[in-house]
Structures are given as structure tokens and as C-alpha cells.
Amino acid sequence: MGSLDDAVALIGQARRIAIVAHSSPDQDAIGSLLGLGLALETVGKRVALLCDDPVPRLLRFLPGSDRVHSALPADFTPDLLVSLDSSDTDRLGRVAQPLLEGGIPVLNVDHHVTNVNYGTVNLVEDRASAAEVLLPLLDALAIPLTRDVATCLLAGVVGDTRSFSTANVTADTLTAAVRLVEAGADLAYVTEMALNRCTVNALHVWGLGLSALQLEDGVLWTAIPLESRRRMGLVGVGSNKLSSMLIGAVEANVAAVFEEQPGDQVEISFRARPGYEVASLALSLGGGGHPLAAGCTLEGSLDEVVQRVVGLLKAQVAQPTGEEG
Ligand code: 5GP
Ligand code: MN
């Protein structure tokens, strides 16, 4: 049996399904979480929608977003755990850990090449978004796409592909989007709401990052100290894909944004231009991602992490993949 059949069998047997998206969720994590949850409810499953961190303010337009919680409701005893968009179990956060150890089956639905296949069943495919992996699963379960489900899934596709512009977009991605639009999702609305908008605070964080750019040997990076964020009242505001902007610089072969977090943690967002890759470096540092977009969180002071990782990035740039994507 292929993993799609296995996934269908697991969901078919389950009645109360806990669905977890990764911490620090993006459009794909939330869109997949809500899309799958709402879809399963249409066929009578009970679901608990879980994420360690709250739904970002700008994604609260998505149907069902007020139903995401950081703890399992007391009266909910799941008989299946579905994880979404997460290549390892750490990234699922604290809410998932007791469930992972609770003896119930785990269906791991993901699209990262770095996925470590931690599920009982692993529906892991090299697609542009987790939402795109869910579509054949819903088809195989014979669950019709409602407008709400389609809207959530389209937010995932549009977010992870930055509006169909990333190197991993295929004809299948576009076909999936056509189906979601045919099911009632409004592409312009979803793109505006889920991708194009940002907050002024996020722009201030960009300003901090952009004012401290460094370029050496094809590596473009910036570091955002916690103290400068504190001074401006920006603690907890993400850098919102600043790395995607940096890799647009023609001088850069790889780009990185280092964000100092409370508790001696540094979050790193990597980007590569086609012909280079950052997934293997992110994986070796305990994170994960895709060849051209990856990330990890490291312990240590900002200065020492930047120095160490920039050295590794320079070594990475010295070894182009020879591929155009
Ligand atoms: P971004 O830089 O846009 O936050 O993330 C780029 C890609 O790397 C996304 O696919 C994201 O899921 C993945 N990623 C970012 N940070 C981490 C991390 O700490 N662990 C893992 N496993 N993946 C990460
Ligand atoms: Mn994703």
C-alpha cells in the first residue's frame, strides 16, 4: 500500500483527530491546519486544531482561525494525530509532545525534503506547499471542497510559493490552484490578505535588518539584536520573510537573517538563489526546509552564532549545486 492509501486508512478509522501545525506558523501551516480541519468536519470527524503559537493577526481572516488552540481541550481524547508542514517533531512545539508519546498513530503530512519521517504513516511529497499535499488526500477520502476549505488551502499555496513565483512551482501546483479557485476561493483576495499585507511594526523590523546588511563572498546577511527590538517595542514581531527580499540582491548567492530571541536563542532564515542550496546546512544545524528556503534555531549569543554560521555559508557558496533550481 502506498502512503496515500495508508493515510486514508488511518483517517478512515479515526473519530477524534488532533491536528498540529508547526510553531511560528506561516500561511501554509495555518491554511493547511484549517483546511484539513474544516474538511474532516464535513464528513463527521471531530477535530482539535492545535498550534503552539497563536494564529498571526493577518491570517485571522481565514475561516476557522478562531478555533486554533495551544492546548488540547480537556474533553478531547484524540485517536489520531496529524502533523502538518513540519519536517521534525521539535518544530511541532510543546503542544504536540504528549500526543507524540501518547501511543496513538501519527500521520505526518509534509512537503520538506528534510522530513525525517517521524510518523506512523508519512505522506511526505516534494511539493511547493503542504496544502498541495492535502488536496489528493481529500480527493482520496472523497471529501468535496467547500469554499472555506479551498480558501484556507489556497492561502497555503500562495504563501509558500510567494504567489506562484518560487522555483518549486510545477504544473501540479497550478492545477491545484485552479481547483481551489473553481471551488470558490478568491485568488486576488487571498493573495492580498495572506501575502501582500504586513504591519508597520514588521516594516520597522525590516528597517533594523536592512540597516545592518553585510556582504562577503556572495553571502548577504543581517542580524537583529534583541536589544534594538526592545528599544523600539518590537519584541515578538517577526522579520516576515526579509530573507526572501535579500536573496533578490544580484550580489548574493545565499542570504541569511539572524534574529536574536529571548533565552539565548537565535532564529535563522536562509535563502539561496538557484544553483545553490541551504536545506542541507539547515538540516545539519537541527532545522530544515527546502533547497532554496530553509531555517533553524540555534543556542548561543548572536555574535557567536553569526560568526559560525556565516563561515558555514561561505563554505556552502564555494560549492554550487550545478543545478538551476
Ligand atoms: P522561513 O525562512 O520562510 O521562515 O522558512 C523557510 C523554510 O524553512 C520553511 O519551509 C520552514 O518551514 C523551514 N524552517 C524554518 N525554520 C525551521 C526550523 O527551525 N526547523 C525546521 N525543521 N524547518 C524550518
Ligand atoms: Mn510549507
Side-chain angles (χ1 to χ4, degrees), residues 22 85 87-88 91 112 241 243 268-271 286-290 293-297:
H22 65 72
D85 199 30
S87 61
D88 57 53
R91 191 147 167 79
H112 293 96
K241 318 268 173 187
S243 55
I268 315 173
S269 172
F270 297 113
R271 293 294 183 270
H290 309 286
C296 62
T297 300

Side-chain angles (χ1 to χ4, degrees), residues 22 26-29 32 85-86 110-112 128-131 156 160 290:
H22 65 72
D26 56 11
Q27 300 96 330
D28 193 30
S32 296
D85 199 30
S86 186
D110 188 31
H111 69 121
H112 293 96
S129 62
D160 262 22
H290 309 286

